Amino acid sequence: MEKNDPPHVPLIADVFAGVGPFAVPAAKRGAIVYANDLNAESTKWMEVNVKNNKVVPRVRISTLDGRQFIKDVVQTAWTSPFPAEAYIKPLSVKERRLKRSAAKNASSASGVSAESSTNDRVDGKEPVVRESTVQPPLIPSSRRVDHFVMNLPATAIEFLDAFRPAFTSLRTQYGEEVKQIYAIMPMVHVHCFTRELEEDNARKDIIEVSDRETQ
């Protein structure tokens, strides 16, 4: 990354998001998230969690089969990326508390704006904290899915076969630009079970199953 480049904001696709135990914390830490679950009851409560945690602009929720979601999210991220305002970094709990306190102090101080600099103080009290932002990344970066999360241990590994056709289709449609943006492919985090107890055997078992599923 060059010195003047905007900071990279990771884009995550959560294939089996449930009620958002991965998606919501990731968004609170600044990531952009596509969150999916086939269970409509789960996505209903995920919407509640997203709203309660104030990350609505950073999360898009869908209710699709996992394979369909993998196919769709690659296309959606490319053709309809998140808007620039989604990249505004959320305030931390401490920053929100300071902001409320400063706004309250400012409202009681005549002639003093609550939009003062973060270094300004109102009557010697806590500084005003304004919404901090990161510069939106270049559009090509925002179209790239950086991580796929697949937290469905019993069957997640069986969905690995969906990735090859999803990216093949994208390359067929958009050609060389896709090859450049996806010069390094996304990291796929698969939570899965194995009957092997020894670590080396467990790793070997998972790799063998993965190879079969991606043939």
Side-chain angles (χ1 to χ4, degrees), residues 14-18 36-37 65-67 69 149-152 155-156 159:
D14 192 343
V15 185
F16 312 111
N36 174 76
D37 201 279
D65 169 75
R67 284 186 177 82
F69 172 72
V149 178
M150 303 175 70
N151 183 32
L152 191 66
T155 58
F159 288 77

Side-chain angles (χ1 to χ4, degrees), residues 142 175 187:
S142 69
M187 178 69 72

Side-chain angles (χ1 to χ4, degrees), residues 6-17:
H8 179 67
V9 178
L11 196 158
I12 299 170
D14 192 343
V15 185
F16 312 111

Side-chain angles (χ1 to χ4, degrees), residues 15 36-39 43 62-69 72:
V15 185
N36 174 76
D37 201 279
L38 181 60
N39 188 324
T43 55
S62 58
T63 308
L64 298 170
D65 169 75
R67 284 186 177 82
Q68 187 64 46
F69 172 72
D72 286 2

Side-chain angles (χ1 to χ4, degrees), residues 1-7 135:
M1 180 183 293
E2 297 294 332
K3 184 176 180 180
N4 295 324
D5 283 349
Q135 182 180 351

Side-chain angles (χ1 to χ4, degrees), residues 25-85:
K28 289 186 72 173
R29 286 168 172 78
I32 299 297
V33 184
Y34 291 93
N36 174 76
D37 201 279
L38 181 60
N39 188 324
E41 188 70 12
S42 293
T43 55
K44 181 184 80 172
W45 288 107
M46 178 160 49
E47 289 177 357
V48 173
N49 289 333
V50 166
K51 185 178 295 184
N52 288 345
N53 283 275
K54 299 178 174 59
V55 291
V56 172
R58 308 178 75 84
V59 181
R60 289 182 183 173
I61 298 174
S62 58
T63 308
L64 298 170
D65 169 75
R67 284 186 177 82
Q68 187 64 46
F69 172 72
I70 292 168
K71 176 183 177 181
D72 286 2
V73 75
V74 170
Q75 294 282 341
T76 301
W78 190 267
T79 59
S80 304
F82 276 75
E85 54 266 27

Side-chain angles (χ1 to χ4, degrees), residues 90-102:
L91 293 177
S92 67
V93 173
K94 181 179 179 181
E95 287 172 329
R96 289 199 300 270
R97 186 168 60 247
L98 287 172
K99 186 177 181 180
R100 287 194 298 268
S101 175

Side-chain angles (χ1 to χ4, degrees), residues 173-184:
Q173 294 177 72
Y174 300 102
E176 193 62 32
E177 190 178 7
V178 174
K179 293 181 181 179
Q180 294 174 2
I181 299 302
Y182 281 104
I184 299 176

